[in-house]
Every structure is written in structure tokens, then in C-alpha cells.
Amino acid sequence: MKIAIIGAGAMGSLFGGRLALAGEEVWLLDVWEEHVRTIGDKGLSIATTAGDIVARPRATTKAGEIGPAELVIIFVKSTATAQAAATARTLLGPDTAVLTLQNGYGNAETIAAAVGADRVIAGTTAQGATLLGPGRIMHGGSGETHIGELGGGITARLEKIAACLTRAGIATVADGNVASLIWGKLIVNVGINALTGITGLKNGELADHEETRQVLALAVEEAVKVADAAGVALPYANPVEKVLGIAVATAQNRSSMLQDLSGGRKTEIEAINGALVREGERLGVATPVNQVLTLLIKALEKLPRTNH
Ligand code: NAD
């Protein structure tokens, strides 16, 4: 399958590297020139628990070099989704599907506005990766990836893409209810990301303090009310327990929001707690806790790194 990946950072490189190693025709497209040049010169190095692997996907900064792809995967941070979706438009053939496994709420809708909703496949992944430097990433945890059509149902192309990812070592399930998947992951990120960003705690440490457990529970309970108002059935019972359980299971992780703040980068807050606040406003559900978390992260984004 000819696959173009827009945003070849930690996750785009992990998926692209694995797919290239499985024999797919992979093109990585990124705005980061040094990274693209290094992959072209030396290949993409993936550090795994079983040692380093080198994959050789094609890599470019110019979408015009790629031509139409059968599958486009968008793996930029949600702050760059609109730009990446505009780029995806230039890679479309008659049957191109565009997949997003980004965190947050609203990415699929932004992509659908650019390429048409019938092309969009969305989902979640429990794979984890970290960017180590130009041309080098580390594969963190593995876990299932779930993908679904925006319009629902299991289609032949959905099963084909799930099989292609699974063959590449990324275990993937074709799922009929994408809204449930996305909200399920969104609520986990709503509970963990902003709170770790603000406190500087690792994920597991949120469970060690009564105060952080309480804020996590309040943020998650609000999110569940918004999901209910949106008519979404979550993929798990007891959301607060579920989110605390994930915080403990990923105890040593510094969340991406915490890493973005300490790296002086813009965070994905607008696609996580911020998106929840906007959905709450649309549906008439008050979300004061998530509003405060969003404002605090936005304030921290403006401060010098030494202050957090
Ligand atoms: P990252 O910052 O490592 O990579 C993003 C890449 O996109 C960068 O290389 C950047 O140069 C590139 N980019 C930015 N704008 C671009 C544009 N307009 N065109 C092309 N490339 C562009 O981010 P990541 O950690 O790989 O995360 C990507 C998404 O996956 C996020 O939504 C994140 O929340 C989600 N996610 C990450 C993990 C993880 O473990 N890292 C796990 C699950 C989900």
C-alpha cells in the first residue's frame, strides 16, 4: 500500500518505520528539514527493548514529491491539524482514505472539512513513542490501536487498513463506533494531561495525593456529563477509576503536556480540556473545572520554562 504520513515526529516515525519494515511504500512528510535529511541519509533509527532497528521509509519536506497515496496518516500535534489537512488534500487520489490517531477532540472534524468526511478514518492508539533527535525515535509502550469510519460501520477499507497495520506489528482492531473510542481516550487525557502539566507530577503521582485525585475526579466527571449530553456511550464503566488506573499503569510517564511545557512548546490543551469546554458550551453543560485547567495551562504556555 502507498502510505503518506504527515508529521513524522515520534508517532509518525514509529508507524512509518514499522510499515516500511513490513514492505509497504511509505513516505514521511515533515517540515523539520534536519530530521528528513537524516532519514534520507542514514535511515530512521528506532530504539526498542529488543535493540535498535533501522527502517528506510522515504522522507521529504515537499508534498509535491509524493503524489496520490492510498492512505494518508496525519500525525502532527493537534495544533497543526488544519495545516496538515490542507496538505493531505494534495495527496488525494480517487479512493484515498485519511487516518488520524491524534489525541484530542476535533481533529477528525478539521480533517473532514478539508478532504470530505467520507474519506476520514479516526481512532486511538495505545502505542507510545518519544523523539530522541533527528532520525531517531524510541518505541515506548505497545498496546492496541482501534480505528473506525466517521460514519460508523465496518467497511472493507477499514479492515484492509487494520490488517496492514497489524502485519506491521501494530495490533489494530476495526471498530464500528469511533465516537466512543475518541471520547474514551479524550476523557483519559482530560483527567491526566493538564493536571500533570500544572503540577509537574508524573502520571502515577497524581494518585498519591488526595488533592490531585479530587481534581482529576472533578475534571473527569464533568467530561462524562458532556459525553452523555453528546449521546456518546463510553467504552468503559467507572470513568474516574479507569483514568486513575491508567495514571497508575503509566506511573513513570511525564505526560506529553508536561513535556511540551518544559520544552517551551505549545500544548494540545485546546484539543483536550479546551475542546471539552467548547463542547460543553454547545450542549449546555457547565465545565468550570476544565475551564480553569485550560486557562492555567494557557497561562503556563506564556511563562518562561524556569517557572514550571
Ligand atoms: P511530535 O511533536 O513528536 O511530532 C509531530 C511532528 O509533526 C513533528 O516532527 C513536526 O515537525 C511535524 N509537523 C508539524 N507541523 C507540520 C506540518 N504542517 N506538516 C508536516 N509536519 C509537521 O508529536 P507526537 O508525539 O508524534 O504526537 C503526534 C500526535 O499523536 C499527537 O496528537 C499526540 O497527542 C498523539 N499521540 C502521541 C503519543 C506518543 O507516545 N508520542 C501516543 C499517542 C498519541
Side-chain angles (χ1 to χ4, degrees):
M1 200 186 294
K2 180 171 173 183
I3 302 167
I5 301 186
I6 306 178
M11 294 300 282
S13 290
L14 174 67
F15 275 60
R18 289 278 182 205
L19 287 161
L21 286 163
E24 306 298 341
E25 180 187 343
V26 176
W27 286 82
L28 298 181
L29 176 64
D30 203 288
V31 292
W32 183 15
E33 289 187 3
E34 192 186 359
H35 183 50
V36 163
R37 203 172 40 246
T38 308
I39 295 170
D41 291 347
K42 299 184 186 159
L44 168 73
S45 169
I46 307 174
T48 75
T49 45
D52 285 10
I53 309 170
V54 176
R56 296 212 165 261
R58 293 169 179 84
T60 181
T61 55
K62 298 187 183 72
E65 285 181 6
I66 301 176
E70 193 174 343
L71 174 65
V72 175
I73 307 180
I74 295 189
F75 251 141
V76 296
K77 288 273 174 71
S78 54
T79 45
T81 302
Q83 262 177 297
T87 305
R89 276 173 68 94
T90 69
L91 301 174
L92 300 180
D95 299 317
T96 307
V98 183
L99 168 66
T100 166
L101 294 169
Q102 298 159 279
N103 279 331
Y105 181 81
N107 292 302
E109 291 71 12
T110 301
I111 297 166
V115 304
D118 54 342
R119 291 185 184 269
V120 181
I121 295 174
T124 58
T125 182
Q127 294 284 343
T130 309
L131 202 50
L132 299 177
R136 290 181 61 228
I137 61 157
M138 182 172 73
H139 187 194
S142 276
E144 273 186 351
T145 297
H146 289 253
I147 59 174
E149 297 279 354
L150 275 200
I154 306 287
T155 57
R157 72 173 181 181
L158 192 66
E159 286 185 325
K160 185 175 173 188
I161 294 165
C164 173
L165 288 167
T166 301
R167 265 197 313 277
I170 300 163
T172 301
V173 179
D175 204 299
N177 187 350
V178 77
S180 173
L181 293 176
I182 289 181
W183 277 86
K185 181 91 185 269
L186 175 69
I187 287 177
V188 173
N189 292 138
V190 158
I192 294 176
N193 289 25
L195 198 49
T196 49
I198 292 161
T199 57
L201 295 174
K202 289 182 180 167
N203 291 3
E205 291 169 334
L206 293 180
D208 294 343
H209 307 281
E210 177 55 30
E211 296 79 3
T212 44
R213 278 204 306 272
Q214 269 189 40
V215 179
L216 181 148
L218 289 168
V220 167
E221 280 159 5
E222 270 183 14
V224 172
K225 283 188 196 147
V226 179
D228 280 347
V232 175
L234 294 176
Y236 41 74
N238 305 320
V240 172
E241 266 176 46
K242 173 78 183 178
V243 178
L244 269 175
I246 290 178
V248 171
T250 57
Q252 291 310 310
N253 283 16
R254 293 176 80 244
S255 75
S256 57
M257 200 162 288
L258 177 55
Q259 289 184 46
D260 283 341
L261 284 173
S262 37
R265 295 180 294 272
K266 224 170 158 359
T267 72
E268 293 188 294
I269 191 71
E270 284 294 356
I272 301 178
N273 307 72
L276 190 87
V277 171
R278 289 194 301 279
E279 278 301 283
E281 274 165 12
R282 188 176 71 80
L283 296 163
V285 180
T287 57
V289 174
N290 281 286
Q291 220 161 357
V292 169
L293 291 172
T294 303
L295 290 170
L296 286 173
I297 292 290
K298 290 175 83 162
L300 287 172
E301 283 179 348
K302 291 184 185 164
L303 294 174
R305 274 185 256 178
T306 44
N307 289 21
H308 43 78

